[in-house]
Amino acid sequence: SVIVTPSWYGTWLFRILVAVVVIATVWILIYRRIKNIRRKHEIDKKLLEIEKQKFDLEQKALRLQMNPHFIFNSLNSIQSYILTHDMEMAVTYLGKFSQLMRLILTNSGNKFVPFKEELKALKHYLDLEKLRFDNKFEYNIRVDEKIDDDFIEIPPMVIQPYVENAIIHGILHKESTGLIEIEFNLSNHTLLCSITDNGVGRTLSEKIRKEAGIQRKSTGMYITKARLEMLSSGQRDEYAVKVTDLKDSDGKAAGTKVDLIIHYVDD
């Protein structure tokens, strides 16, 4: 019998060791790759959380910056009623003002609030302005019956600044009693809000302001614009604002219309 001893690299023991080394190497490479991916995912997740917290803080800061002129003017109106001994009006005004401030402070801590609460705050604001300007205007609010105001939630304080702008820059420059119409409708998971006034229009309003030497820009409009840009940042949906100058049959200014597209969430 002739027995041929194989070379060391031809033995089964060597082949098994090579197989084990290859499998271990592949396993280590896969493990390290998965570990790196998980680490990167955790870092991205933490960065996303930080960005979200930053966004929420910026949103809250902007929501709290309601036009200070409205607050100061309201307090001055209350003081005026007290000084003229019209205590009934002073109490009425103070009650509505307190309710509005309570709603604003409560809602400012939330990214979204029930549509019903935002509508309540808007009505309080309009009632206060009517009192302050001695019934200089009337208002109508129409809500589509398809809107469930208990379950639909929208960002707080995105409608009021445009209503304030209609009053201050449109209605107050009008000689006769003005009218503000606010309408809400649903379309493709968006809330459509139209704010129409029959004031003097943007062109004449700007001319009056320049002649009076008023250069101040609307704080509320600026804040709301910044908020809408932040809400749209990095999202597929956009919060759109469209302003239209209205004309009468003779081509003269007949007011302004603001259309807001607000994306809501379901409670």
Side-chain angles (χ1 to χ4, degrees), residues 217-229:
K217 293 184 177 180
S218 174
T219 306
M221 294 281 286
Y222 169 78
I223 292 170
T224 304
K225 183 176 181 294
R227 286 187 61 207
L228 293 176
E229 289 175 352

Side-chain angles (χ1 to χ4, degrees), residues 159-255:
I159 301 169
Q160 180 271 338
Y162 294 98
V163 176
E164 179 179 14
N165 196 64
I167 297 171
I168 302 299
H169 302 294
I171 299 297
L172 293 188
H173 298 307
K174 187 180 176 68
E175 293 182 0
S176 58
T177 302
L179 175 64
I180 296 176
E181 295 183 305
I182 305 170
E183 187 172 358
F184 296 95
N185 293 287
L186 289 182
S187 176
N188 297 326
H189 208 75
T190 59
L191 182 66
L192 306 180
C193 174
S194 296
I195 304 166
T196 307
D197 69 78
N198 63 347
V200 297
R202 290 189 295 176
T203 303
L204 181 56
S205 175
E206 185 66 23
K207 181 181 178 181
I208 293 172
R209 289 175 62 197
K210 285 184 178 179
E211 290 177 352
I214 301 174
Q215 301 296 328
R216 180 182 62 83
K217 293 184 177 180
S218 174
T219 306
M221 294 281 286
Y222 169 78
I223 292 170
T224 304
K225 183 176 181 294
R227 286 187 61 207
L228 293 176
E229 289 175 352
M230 287 178 59
L231 288 168
S232 298
S233 177
Q235 297 186 13
R236 182 175 57 188
D237 297 330
E238 293 185 356
Y239 292 73
V241 181
K242 179 183 177 183
V243 181
T244 305
D245 293 311
L246 303 178
K247 306 287 184 181
D248 60 16
S249 57
D250 297 325
K252 297 181 180 179

Side-chain angles (χ1 to χ4, degrees), residues 32-267:
R32 286 183 176 178
R33 177 62 177 167
I34 293 174
K35 190 175 181 181
N36 288 335
I37 292 174
R38 285 179 177 173
R39 186 185 295 114
K40 186 176 182 300
H41 177 71
E42 288 297 324
I43 293 173
D44 291 341
K45 186 178 179 181
K46 288 180 180 179
L47 287 174
L48 186 63
E49 289 178 355
I50 292 172
E51 286 295 323
K52 184 178 180 299
Q53 290 177 359
K54 180 184 175 184
F55 176 81
D56 290 341
L57 287 173
E58 289 175 343
Q59 274 283 89
K60 186 178 293 186
L62 287 173
R63 283 197 297 267
L64 288 171
Q65 293 181 46
M66 183 182 180
N67 192 344
H69 295 278
F70 164 71
I71 297 175
F72 296 150
N73 290 334
S74 295
L75 293 175
N76 287 336
S77 296
I78 295 171
Q79 184 180 28
S80 175
Y81 286 131
I82 294 174
L83 291 175
T84 56
H85 304 287
D86 192 346
M87 298 307 296
E88 184 177 350
M89 286 296 294
V91 171
T92 300
Y93 201 111
L94 183 60
K96 288 183 177 293
F97 181 75
S98 299
Q99 291 176 0
L100 178 60
M101 289 299 103
R102 189 181 302 112
L103 281 170
I104 291 174
L105 291 174
T106 301
N107 294 342
S108 65
N110 302 313
K111 186 177 179 181
F112 290 91
V113 297
F115 175 69
K116 179 173 64 177
E117 294 299 313
E118 186 66 7
L119 193 60
K120 188 187 299 182
L122 183 62
K123 288 179 179 178
H124 281 321
Y125 168 75
L126 284 163
D127 288 339
L128 280 171
E129 293 293 65
K130 277 192 67 176
L131 284 172
R132 183 158 74 100
F133 295 116
D134 196 21
N135 294 316
K136 177 66 178 178
F137 67 91
E138 298 293 333
Y139 72 87
N140 292 321
I141 298 179
R142 293 190 296 273
V143 180
D144 188 350
E145 60 183 14
K146 293 185 295 184
I147 297 177
D148 191 335
D149 56 11
D150 283 317
F151 294 97
I152 288 179
E153 296 188 349
I154 63 173
M157 296 298 292
V158 295
I159 301 169
Q160 180 271 338
Y162 294 98
V163 176
E164 179 179 14
N165 196 64
I167 297 171
I168 302 299
H169 302 294
I171 299 297
L172 293 188
H173 298 307
K174 187 180 176 68
E175 293 182 0
S176 58
T177 302
L179 175 64
I180 296 176
E181 295 183 305
I182 305 170
E183 187 172 358
F184 296 95
N185 293 287
L186 289 182
S187 176
N188 297 326
H189 208 75
T190 59
L191 182 66
L192 306 180
C193 174
S194 296
I195 304 166
T196 307
D197 69 78
N198 63 347
V200 297
R202 290 189 295 176
T203 303
L204 181 56
S205 175
E206 185 66 23
K207 181 181 178 181
I208 293 172
R209 289 175 62 197
K210 285 184 178 179
E211 290 177 352
I214 301 174
Q215 301 296 328
R216 180 182 62 83
K217 293 184 177 180
S218 174
T219 306
M221 294 281 286
Y222 169 78
I223 292 170
T224 304
K225 183 176 181 294
R227 286 187 61 207
L228 293 176
E229 289 175 352
M230 287 178 59
L231 288 168
S232 298
S233 177
Q235 297 186 13
R236 182 175 57 188
D237 297 330
E238 293 185 356
Y239 292 73
V241 181
K242 179 183 177 183
V243 181
T244 305
D245 293 311
L246 303 178
K247 306 287 184 181
D248 60 16
S249 57
D250 297 325
K252 297 181 180 179
T256 307
K257 181 179 181 182
V258 178
D259 293 310
L260 294 172
I261 298 178
I262 306 170
H263 293 271
Y264 64 83
V265 296
D266 296 317
D267 187 11

